[in-house]
Amino acid sequence: MVLTVLKSASKKVVNYPEEDIDVISAKQWFSQLCTDPFIRITRYIMSVFPVLTWIHRYNIGWLAGDLIAGLTVGIVAVPVGMSFAQIAILPPEFGLYSAFVGESIYFTLQLFATSKDVSIGPVAIMSLTMAGITQSVQQAHPGTWDNPTIASAVALLSGFIGLGIGFFRLGWLVEFIPMAAVSGFMTGSAINIAASQAPGLMGITGFDTRATTYRVIINTLKGLPRTSLDAAWGLPGLCALYMFRYLSAWATRKFPRRARLFFFINVLRISFVILVLTIAAWLYCRRRRTPAGDFPIKILQDVPAGLKHVRSPHIDAELISAIAPHLPIATIILFLEHIAIAKSFGRMNGYKINPSQELICIGVANTIGSCFGAYPVTGSFAYSALKSKSGVRTPLAGIFTAAVVITALYALTSAFYWIPKAVLSAVIIHAVADLVASPEEVFNYWRISPLEFLIWLAAVLITVFSSVENGIYASVAASLGLLLIRIAHPRNSFLGKMSVRPENDPEEETRVVFVPIDKSGLDNTNVKVLSPSSGVIVYKFEESCVYPNCAIASSALVDYVRENMRRGKDLSTVSLRDRPWNDSGSRRSSTLEQALNEKKPDLHAIVLDFSSVSHIDTTGTQSLIDARTEIERWMDHPVEFYFAGILSPWIRRALVSGRFGYGASGSRIPRDVAEIATSAGDERLPNDTSPNAKDLEKGDDKTKAEDGVEYVEPSGSQWEPIMSQETPFFHLDLHSAVRAAESGLDRSVDLHVQVNAVDEA
């Protein structure tokens, strides 16, 4: 479909019938899209069940690795799950429910999942977000629902959102949130969590630990004189956790042959510290109850055994309306953290994940988990790193983790009674400290992109001084704003020629490359850059020509022509009443002005490098039409527009719709041609030694390419043009486009006369 506005905007171009131009049509595009629907459906179903690509190769060696990794993660998941439930303002058993359901369901969903390393369960940042959602709903509707009911409803609704995004293959939406924004809100959240757990570590009470982070830090410092006996368990526990970590790392470097042993010692540090301090709490507290039945320190006390809260989640319209304002932040954190972790371990271990598939897994895990009383779960960086380092081989390791958690739920809950809460606070602080970005990482943000560093800093500060929700919203909004600014203000440049050759080979033939005329981006600014032939402009687009940026690009081209090219009509001879109101020509004829204008070259051709352009829309096409109209009005004659590097049929279609690409070309050089493949044997590689390769004894010739590699050219080869003969202004590369533009300079005057005559006819 050709837009009327594009037809009417083009002038002084030979009127070639558009249907004769060989460009893709909308009908052809849709027919290509719908080709072999059965094959497309089959591929979609296979992509939904990636387990089929590896389950038939499962073996005993893989089973051993999965068993060790699964048990290792399970031992850590039990205490950490209870600790994170404390952050979410939920009873500790709900952390175990979430850990069990997350691992067991994710194991089942390995029919769908694409990552072997990711471990799903309760995580610190989601627990903190869940606490904020619960508090907000309880303040708006006091006493209407209890905290577990709210948490299960959030899990159900966010799970349905994940399912919808995954099944519709919209996982790419997560890519709009950059690494700096993710790191910023995770760092701010880690500081937030650590600050909220510090009072519990020290046994300090008397203020709201869920307040803004900076207020909690101030109140904690003010409350240091009120430190209680809980600190005798919390501080040694925190110190012991770090001591085990650093001693294990030192011993690994000192005795590398025992690295596996020290790794498992490091893994078991959390369980060991909790076990020792729990025994100490039991020995100290069992005979020291107050008359009111309280203990000298805060302990976990009763943890119900088994899955006591298996039921359908309570959901009603009022609860949905109360939760709805908080669902965006919950789903963003769930999906973003999981995809970021899955991609990270995929890069480390050499496999590729499918974001949409992972979102399906997260969606189903949370949807089903809500029936077990679980609160929202997602990929855990700590669990995933532990699983990866433990030697996990396939995604089936999750079933062993789930077995450990369910065993603890049914057999060890009586032992959980004496766990000091200060020790759980130590575990939480120790866990979230790894989420804080390292100084090296932050410095890299500054070196790579100072603007992204500012986004990271803003995310941290807003999270600390406001809330996690505001921090992630601000960082995502700032990142999208930066993306739009970069799209709207691309770095386009006018190009010149530079001759280059290898440094130590003066006999090697020189070649021509095109670089910015102003030498921007060149390390050595002393090199000689020549402008194209007089009357030719080479302009490079470095971004897609779309509505946010096309006006800037076309304005730069028009301004360059006005400043550097000769004006076609002397307006000093035109009466004032016949001039445009915005024309800046002299009122009287000026000899100096005429002389300066005559010294400027007469523009005949513009070469547009579209090698970096992946898309052009209606506004971009109209902008090019307007630029051509303005330039030809200034020059007072037609100007040829050559295009280089266009491989997209839709870009060619758009340009032809704007009356670009076809017409009578002034070029003298023949079009580029390439050898056509007449059989499978013609598709040859450099120095081909296969039986199909030709040699000189069979009448073949050897030729050398520019890189010096010998290619065999069969006698009688067939050569055909690369680009359509009907669009002589479209060229495969910039070099051929510039040659074509320069070759027709001496014929341009005659061509202008012919075109004007056709237009008048």
Side-chain angles (χ1 to χ4, degrees):
M1 178 179 180
V2 181
L3 298 177
T4 305
V5 65
L6 300 182
K7 287 183 175 179
S8 60
S10 178
K11 297 180 180 179
K12 296 187 179 180
V13 180
V14 179
N15 187 20
Y16 279 74
E18 192 170 303
E19 58 270 15
D20 292 341
I21 305 301
D22 184 19
V23 295
I24 188 172
S25 66
K27 182 178 179 180
Q28 290 171 334
W29 184 79
F30 279 110
S31 64
Q32 292 174 7
L33 186 66
C34 300
T35 301
D36 298 328
F38 177 77
I39 295 177
R40 291 179 178 271
I41 293 173
T42 304
R43 288 176 180 174
Y44 176 82
I45 295 175
M46 291 294 292
S47 69
V48 172
F49 297 97
V51 67
L52 299 176
T53 62
W54 59 266
I55 191 63
H56 60 281
R57 294 182 285 113
Y58 201 81
N59 53 67
I60 297 297
W62 289 5
L63 176 63
D66 291 343
L67 178 62
I68 294 173
L71 295 178
T72 303
V73 174
I75 293 172
V76 177
V78 172
V80 173
M82 293 189 294
S83 303
F84 288 162
Q86 181 175 311
I87 300 176
I89 325 179
L90 294 171
E93 63 268 23
F94 285 89
L96 297 179
Y97 300 159
S98 299
F100 165 71
V101 173
E103 287 293 348
S104 60
I105 293 179
Y106 193 66
F107 154 71
T108 307
L109 292 177
Q110 294 309 329
L111 295 171
F112 305 99
T114 56
S115 173
K116 72 178 179 67
D117 297 287
V118 172
S119 183
I120 287 187
V123 296
I125 296 178
M126 191 62 234
S127 300
L128 178 65
T129 304
M130 192 65 248
I133 295 173
T134 302
Q135 282 186 319
S136 178
V137 173
Q138 292 287 19
Q139 289 174 2
H141 305 271
T144 306
W145 309 283
D146 58 7
N147 290 359
T149 299
I150 298 171
S152 297
V154 173
L156 179 67
L157 295 176
S158 60
F160 276 128
I161 295 174
L163 282 174
I165 295 176
F167 279 122
F168 284 104
R169 291 300 191 249
L170 299 177
W172 51 269
L173 291 173
V174 180
E175 307 294 343
F176 281 95
I177 305 178
M179 184 185 298
V182 175
S183 175
F185 94 82
M186 291 184 71
T187 298
S189 299
I191 296 172
N192 191 327
I193 294 169
S196 67
Q197 295 302 310
L201 182 78
M202 306 292 292
I204 302 171
T205 58
F207 60 90
D208 182 14
T209 58
R210 305 290 175 180
T212 309
T213 305
Y214 77 95
R215 292 184 180 276
V216 175
I217 295 174
I218 293 173
N219 290 330
T220 302
L221 295 175
K222 289 181 178 179
L224 286 178
R226 303 195 303 274
T227 300
S228 66
L229 191 61
D230 293 86
W233 273 259
L235 288 177
L238 184 61
C239 294
L241 289 172
Y242 278 104
M243 182 187 70
F244 272 107
R245 169 184 284 186
Y246 292 129
L247 286 178
S248 298
W250 174 83
T252 301
R253 293 192 300 269
K254 189 75 173 176
F255 308 102
R257 300 178 67 178
R258 305 257 182 192
R260 192 74 172 170
L261 172 64
F262 296 123
F263 168 75
F264 284 107
I265 291 176
N266 185 43
V267 166
L268 296 174
R269 70 185 186 279
I270 295 178
S271 300
F272 178 76
V273 168
I274 289 180
L275 177 63
V276 171
L277 293 177
T278 299
I279 294 174
W282 173 71
L283 292 173
Y284 182 79
C285 297
R286 59 178 177 158
R287 300 185 184 278
R288 286 182 171 82
R289 278 201 172 188
T290 64
D294 297 330
F295 293 101
I297 62 173
K298 298 181 183 66
I299 60 176
L300 205 55
Q301 299 190 25
D302 293 321
V303 178
L307 298 170
K308 297 293 186 182
H309 298 275
V310 177
R311 58 181 172 82
S312 60
H314 173 78
I315 199 80
D316 56 44
E318 187 179 5
L319 181 56
I320 293 176
S321 63
I323 294 174
H326 307 283
L327 279 178
I329 185 66
T331 52
I332 287 174
I333 292 176
L334 283 178
F335 304 157
L336 184 62
E337 189 165 1
H338 183 84
I339 298 301
I341 291 170
K343 282 190 172 183
S344 175
F345 284 98
R347 287 193 299 268
M348 290 169 53
N349 297 312
Y351 61 87
K352 184 179 179 181
I353 68 111
N354 185 332
S356 297
Q357 286 298 114
E358 293 298 323
L359 292 183
I360 291 175
C361 295
I362 288 292
V364 176
N366 283 285
T367 302
I368 299 178
S370 63
C371 300
F372 288 82
Y375 70 94
V377 294
T378 187
S380 168
F381 182 82
Y383 296 168
S384 302
L386 189 57
K387 183 189 286 188
S388 179
K389 291 179 181 178
S390 299
V392 65
R393 304 302 299 275
T394 73
L396 292 181
I399 193 61
F400 302 113
T401 300
V404 173
V405 176
I406 197 65
T407 301
L409 257 173
Y410 277 94
L412 300 177
T413 52
S414 58
F416 297 157
Y417 184 94
W418 297 99
I419 295 178
K421 288 188 175 181
V423 176
L424 294 182
S425 295
V427 171
I428 293 171
I429 294 173
H430 180 69
V432 301
D434 294 333
L435 299 179
V436 178
S438 65
E440 181 182 1
E441 181 182 353
V442 176
F443 183 64
N444 278 336
Y445 291 149
W446 173 258
R447 292 184 62 187
I448 296 172
S449 175
L451 290 177
E452 289 191 84
F453 166 77
L454 294 179
I455 291 175
W456 178 90
L457 184 62
V460 174
L461 293 178
I462 293 174
T463 301
V464 170
F465 288 95
S466 180
S467 66
V468 175
E469 188 171 339
N470 292 337
I472 192 170
Y473 283 153
S475 60
V476 171
S479 300
L480 292 177
L482 179 60
L483 175 64
L484 292 176
I485 291 173
R486 286 173 173 167
I487 293 175
H489 294 81
R491 193 177 70 92
N492 300 321
S493 53
F494 293 91
L495 305 182
K497 299 178 182 179
M498 182 170 64
S499 298
V500 297
R501 62 170 174 78
E503 181 179 8
N504 298 319
D505 192 358
E507 297 182 359
E508 181 70 19
E509 227 179 275
T510 62
R511 67 182 189 277
V512 175
V513 296
F514 292 87
V515 296
I517 292 178
D518 58 7
K519 303 180 183 180
S520 60
L522 298 180
D523 292 337
N524 186 358
T525 56
N526 295 322
V527 295
K528 185 178 181 181
V529 177
L530 300 176
S531 298
S533 299
S534 179
V536 175
I537 294 176
V538 183
Y539 187 51
K540 180 179 178 63
F541 285 76
E542 298 192 14
E543 184 61 70
S544 291
C545 188
V546 290
Y547 66 92
N549 61 33
C550 59
I552 296 177
S554 61
S555 295
L557 182 59
V558 172
D559 292 343
Y560 184 88
V561 170
R562 286 175 174 271
E563 183 178 351
N564 297 279
M565 295 295 156
R566 182 192 309 167
R567 186 168 191 167
K569 181 182 292 186
D570 183 8
L571 286 186
S572 63
T573 60
V574 180
S575 62
L576 292 178
R577 65 182 179 183
D578 294 331
R579 295 190 198 178
W581 67 273
N582 60 337
D583 185 78
S584 58
S586 302
R587 295 175 62 88
R588 297 180 181 178
S589 178
S590 170
T591 305
L592 178 60
E593 183 179 354
Q594 291 181 4
L596 292 175
N597 186 55
E598 289 296 328
K599 288 183 178 180
K600 295 180 180 179
D602 186 21
L603 177 63
H604 299 294
I606 295 176
V607 181
L608 300 179
D609 184 359
F610 267 43
S611 58
S612 299
V613 177
S614 61
H615 180 69
I616 183 171
D617 61 4
T618 305
T619 311
T621 306
Q622 183 63 50
S623 179
L624 285 178
I625 294 172
D626 295 341
R628 178 181 61 193
T629 302
E630 189 68 22
I631 290 171
E632 291 181 348
R633 183 183 294 119
W634 176 268
M635 301 307 305
D636 200 31
H637 63 70
V639 175
E640 294 180 341
F641 279 74
Y642 290 83
F643 295 85
I646 300 176
L647 296 180
S648 168
W650 278 99
I651 295 180
R652 291 198 294 270
R653 171 187 167 90
L655 293 174
V656 169
S657 299
R659 297 292 192 262
F660 289 101
Y662 61 90
S665 172
S667 173
R668 290 178 177 272
I669 63 172
R671 301 298 303 274
D672 289 339
V673 294
E675 181 185 2
I676 63 172
T678 57
S679 64
D682 286 337
E683 301 291 341
R684 289 163 288 106
L685 297 175
N687 298 328
D688 193 350
T689 57
S690 64
N692 291 330
K694 309 288 184 179
D695 56 34
L696 291 175
E697 295 180 0
K698 298 179 180 180
D700 300 329
D701 298 323
K702 284 189 175 180
T703 59
K704 269 194 176 182
E706 290 184 358
D707 55 4
V709 179
E710 288 185 346
Y711 288 81
V712 179
E713 294 292 348
S715 58
S717 298
Q718 298 183 25
W719 296 73
E720 291 184 0
I722 303 172
M723 309 297 288
S724 172
Q725 296 281 20
E726 297 168 336
T727 52
F729 294 97
F730 291 161
H731 292 263
L732 187 63
D733 64 342
L734 184 59
H735 189 263
S736 63
V738 174
R739 286 177 58 228
E742 293 177 339
S743 67
L745 289 177
D746 55 346
R747 300 181 60 193
S748 59
V749 176
D750 296 337
L751 180 63
H752 297 162
V753 174
Q754 296 174 12
V755 170
N756 289 330
V758 172
D759 285 342
E760 292 175 0

